[in-house]
Amino acid sequence: MTQFWYVACTRAHDLLVLPFIPQASKNSWFSSIDLRQNELPEIDLAGLPEPAPRITQLIENRQSPDVFAAERQRVEESVTSIHWRRPSDHDPDRLGDPLECKVVSELVIEHQDVVAAGALRGTILHKLMEELLTGELRSDKQAVVCRADILLAQLASCLSSETSLPAPAEMAETALQALALPEIAALRHILVPEMAVWGARDGLFISGRADALSIGDNRIDVAIDWKSDINPTASVRSAYIEQLQDYLEATGARRGALVFLSLREITWIPPKQ
């Protein structure tokens, strides 16, 4: 406090006006410094400009319930509605993406829990495919089995003890055989996994994450969606196609590939017409 008082008294020059208080206690902050105020000349106000009167125009408040309702309607009609579509939300074998949730909502949402062994297997398969494409994981069966076993141990704690767990060896073989499919092997060197996808059209916003995109010559050629289903129904396949077509529209990719890892089957999807 003393330091602030000193700065104020020694730096203020003409802008600081302090009253002289002769009855102030000697122990007060006011008496801590002898400012010699009784030696200061009186302030000369002659140099100050004459104050210019401010003319304020009175505005009549014509607001009424009817006027307010009309204004509200104009505002509502002028606002563009925004609708979010997140194609990956319905995937049972994929953990939720916190970034997508935070964009759509102000709530902080953590990753979703794996709720069944089938979902657990799909989650691990997606992670194995990602790490194989990034090069974090060698395309060696024993290395992939070990990694699958580690991921299984990390994620299986959320399941009951009675739930049958997927086999690390089977998951490793499934991932490696999917990457060995001729059409995937031909694209592998330009596949970038786990790419955030954003798109906007006529008030419709798409937010998601593509499992892999083939990127070459400064454009996206193929959007790939890994699926771990063992026996997908026709309705499930139809939903997957619609999901992938949303990604094709958002990325401008020329075609999409639904890759059923367990079936070693590829379904090629064209963009929406």
Side-chain angles (χ1 to χ4, degrees):
M1 184 67 182
T2 303
Q3 186 176 17
F4 291 140
W5 180 254
Y6 171 80
V7 171
C9 295
T10 57
R11 302 292 189 273
H13 298 291
D14 296 335
L15 300 181
L16 182 65
V17 178
L18 294 174
F20 178 62
I21 310 176
Q23 69 272 23
S25 170
K26 294 183 179 180
N27 296 327
S28 67
W29 290 109
F30 180 84
S31 302
S32 61
I33 300 175
D34 182 9
L35 299 177
R36 294 182 295 175
Q37 293 150 308
N38 55 349
E39 300 177 13
L40 294 175
E42 293 186 5
I43 297 176
D44 183 8
L45 303 179
L48 297 178
E50 291 293 330
R54 297 177 59 185
I55 301 175
T56 303
Q57 183 179 1
L58 297 179
I59 300 175
E60 183 181 358
N61 184 3
R62 298 178 180 274
Q63 185 68 280
S64 68
D66 292 338
V67 172
F68 179 83
E71 292 174 346
R72 177 177 178 177
Q73 182 177 355
R74 287 199 300 271
V75 171
E76 291 176 348
E77 291 174 351
S78 65
V79 172
T80 302
S81 298
I82 296 178
H83 302 281
W84 283 94
R85 290 183 63 177
R86 294 188 289 161
S88 296
D89 273 5
H90 64 271
D91 278 2
D93 58 358
R94 186 184 183 106
L95 297 180
D97 186 349
L99 178 60
E100 296 164 16
C101 297
K102 288 173 183 174
V103 169
V104 178
S105 158
E106 293 182 357
L107 298 177
V108 177
I109 303 177
E110 300 297 334
H111 284 297
Q112 301 169 359
D113 292 330
V114 180
V115 295
L120 176 63
R121 177 177 178 271
T123 299
I124 294 176
L125 281 173
H126 274 80
K127 185 61 176 173
L128 293 177
M129 298 300 289
E130 175 190 355
E131 294 184 359
L132 284 167
L133 289 178
T134 60
E136 298 173 76
L137 184 59
R138 301 193 320 272
S139 298
D140 173 77
K141 184 174 181 180
Q142 188 56 40
V144 181
V145 171
C146 290
R147 181 58 175 155
D149 189 50
I150 292 173
L151 293 171
L152 181 63
Q154 292 174 343
L155 296 176
S157 59
C158 60
L159 302 177
S160 64
S161 56
E162 294 80 16
T163 304
S164 58
L165 299 179
E170 183 275 331
M171 291 187 288
E173 183 177 0
T174 298
L176 289 172
Q177 289 186 353
L179 287 178
L181 293 171
E183 293 159 296
I184 302 301
L187 298 172
R188 182 171 178 176
H189 66 290
I190 55 173
L191 285 182
V192 181
E194 297 298 321
M195 292 290 292
V197 173
W198 306 90
R201 173 179 54 83
D202 300 329
L204 175 64
F205 288 74
I206 297 174
S207 167
R209 188 170 293 275
D211 291 337
L213 299 176
S214 72
I215 303 176
D217 297 328
N218 294 320
R219 68 158 298 161
I220 299 173
D221 183 52
V222 180
I224 294 179
D225 208 350
W226 314 119
K227 298 300 181 186
S228 63
D229 308 54
I230 296 176
N231 187 25
T233 64
S235 61
V236 168
R237 287 176 178 267
S238 178
Y240 287 160
I241 291 173
E242 183 178 355
Q243 169 191 343
L244 187 53
Q245 284 181 327
D246 282 339
Y247 287 162
L248 296 182
E249 180 179 353
T251 61
R254 288 182 285 192
R255 55 180 179 160
L258 277 177
V259 182
F260 291 94
L261 304 173
S262 305
L263 305 177
R264 300 176 183 86
E265 171 192 316
I266 301 177
T267 301
W268 290 99
I269 307 300
K272 292 179 181 178
Q273 299 299 322

